[in-house]
Amino acid sequence: MKKLLLLITICLAFGCQKNNPQEQLKNINGYWEISEVEASGKLVKKYGFNSAVDFFEIEENEGIRKKLQPQLNGSYIANNSEEKVTAKIENDSLRLYYDTGFDQWKETVLKADETELVLKNQYDKIFYYHKFTGYLDHEKME
């Protein structure tokens, strides 16, 4: 019995529980680089170099998502396309609803922490992202 209680305590302390949607929402903002796409449990595409990153800015459950092209000097070039995003917590999951004026869709946030973002769309494709920090790792250069 003591071992079971110890195991439960460890799981609770070290994150065996599901991602908290409120915490996920706090981690969405920023620059994200796609790394791979999965469908039906199989790898569909693995990305190497990306010329564009996704930028999220959501405040009070409303915001935008846009594609940006990072430059070597640390700046970004934006195109004119931008998606309106509404974040909602439904059934203990964080959902992102998108609207471009031409199309509407939603994604479910499976994971969102300081370094990784995982989204699932309505076609059950899973998109894996990692936090984008720039093309050049300045700490390694010093």
Side-chain angles (χ1 to χ4, degrees), residues 8-21 24 110:
I8 291 171
T9 303
I10 290 171
C11 280
L12 291 175
F14 292 104
C16 292
Q17 36 186 331
K18 184 180 173 189
N19 279 330
N20 178 329
Q24 289 176 330
L110 301 180

Side-chain angles (χ1 to χ4, degrees), residues 2-52:
K2 288 182 182 180
K3 289 182 182 180
L4 178 60
L5 288 174
L6 180 62
L7 180 62
I8 291 171
T9 303
I10 290 171
C11 280
L12 291 175
F14 292 104
C16 292
Q17 36 186 331
K18 184 180 173 189
N19 279 330
N20 178 329
Q22 291 289 350
E23 289 300 313
Q24 289 176 330
L25 183 56
K26 292 177 186 177
N27 291 316
I28 297 256
N29 287 340
Y31 302 90
W32 295 96
E33 183 176 24
I34 191 163
S35 56
E36 61 186 55
V37 179
E38 184 180 284
S40 301
K42 297 180 182 175
L43 182 67
V44 173
K45 182 166 185 175
K46 188 161 184 78
Y47 291 83
F49 175 81
N50 293 302
S51 62

